[in-house]
Amino acid sequence: MPKYLFIANYNADGAKGILSAGGTARKTAVAESAAKLGGSLESFYFGFGEDDAYVIVDMPDNVSVAAIGLQVAASGMTTVRTIVLLTPDEIDKAAQAPKTYRPPGS
């Protein structure tokens, strides 16, 4: 199942929600959301600095990930960047794919 990294940032209302319910409640909510869409939570970490949370999920497809992204955006409390994660084996396969790209001017 494909893996995705969510990098989340909470606005003031989102931070208030974390202060009120705690980090474990947020992790549980994310795990439940992923499960309802056929996926699973691999890891959830909070950070400090530029980003607030780092979440890795296994999800069945891009549509399920888009659904989560839309729901997060609609909440207005969190912004999220989504990154598709690739295994080293997947990169090996990509490196072996037929060479089809031509740079401009070639």
Side-chain angles (χ1 to χ4, degrees):
M1 194 175 296
K3 290 186 184 295
Y4 300 85
L5 169 65
F6 296 136
I7 301 173
N9 290 290
Y10 299 106
N11 66 17
D13 288 333
K16 288 175 189 174
I18 298 294
L19 287 171
S20 172
T24 304
R26 183 79 327 243
K27 179 182 174 185
T28 299
V30 171
E32 289 172 355
S33 179
K36 287 178 182 175
L37 292 168
S40 62
L41 175 66
E42 179 180 301
S43 63
F44 187 117
Y45 291 93
F46 287 99
F48 51 87
E50 187 174 342
D51 301 308
D52 297 323
Y54 303 90
V55 178
I56 296 177
V57 293
D58 294 300
M59 297 299 292
D61 52 36
N62 288 336
V63 173
S64 60
V65 174
I68 290 175
L70 287 169
Q71 293 167 23
V72 168
S75 78
M77 294 183 165
T78 309
T79 58
V80 66
R81 293 189 327 259
T82 305
I83 299 168
V84 178
L85 299 176
L86 300 165
T87 66
D89 288 339
E90 289 171 318
I91 292 299
D92 289 348
K93 288 177 186 173
Q96 297 305 312
K99 308 304 184 245
T100 60
Y101 176 73
R102 287 184 317 132
S106 64

